Amino acid sequence: MDSVTSSVTIAKPREEVFEYLADIANHAEFMDALFGEWHLLRVDSYGRGAGASFRSTGRLDRFGWGSLTFAQVDAPGRIVAVGEGGKYNRIKSRCEWTLDAEGPASTRVSLEYKTEAPLPTDRIMETLAGRRGWFKRGARKSLGRLRTILEDDRDRGTRATVGGL
């Protein structure tokens, strides 16, 4: 799937938004429009090396389990996560969060997501399932929910835990 980008402006300082996003357990709270059934891959959910597995909520997704691990965490402006999913975990993914200050108490958060399907059948399934449009809509909804959580401290979901505990 080609790169999909979505962004939102949040009325919070960049450092505060970064601290929230650098803890992958928090992603389950606002990304439930795209992914559910989150489980941490290690006890420490903050910073480089932190990861989580999840299940895609997309239609026609028979092999919906995937994972993301923070590969780069550059405070306070960038987080890059890499992962895999799909049948036999052969579809590689890359997720990049970019935070740009738009004043002393405002942050522009951009989310870029890309997958690399190695087989023609995987690419066909992504096209038939409408993955690009599904992700774009879900990302827009997720970023709106992120703004609500950080600005109003409401509409929180469930944080991810280790082994569902």
Side-chain angles (χ1 to χ4, degrees), residues 147-163:
R147 179 177 44 213
T148 301
I149 289 170
L150 292 177
E151 288 181 356
D152 304 334
D153 195 28
R154 64 178 175 82
D155 201 23
R156 289 186 177 266
T158 305
R159 280 177 44 97
T161 59
V162 176

Side-chain angles (χ1 to χ4, degrees), residues 52-115:
S53 65
F54 46 81
R55 186 171 183 104
S56 168
T57 60
R59 65 185 181 106
L60 300 177
D61 205 344
R62 291 179 42 209
F63 306 101
W65 284 100
S67 65
L68 282 175
T69 301
F70 288 159
Q72 293 179 328
V73 180
D74 302 324
R78 186 168 169 250
I79 299 171
V80 177
V82 294
E84 63 277 325
K87 190 173 187 178
Y88 305 121
N89 285 331
R90 65 183 173 223
I91 299 174
K92 304 302 176 204
S93 60
R94 183 177 189 278
C95 181
E96 183 173 345
W97 297 86
T98 307
L99 287 74
D100 297 311
E102 289 193 344
S106 184
T107 305
R108 182 80 172 165
V109 178
S110 297
L111 167 63
E112 180 182 9
Y113 187 78
K114 181 179 183 174
T115 61

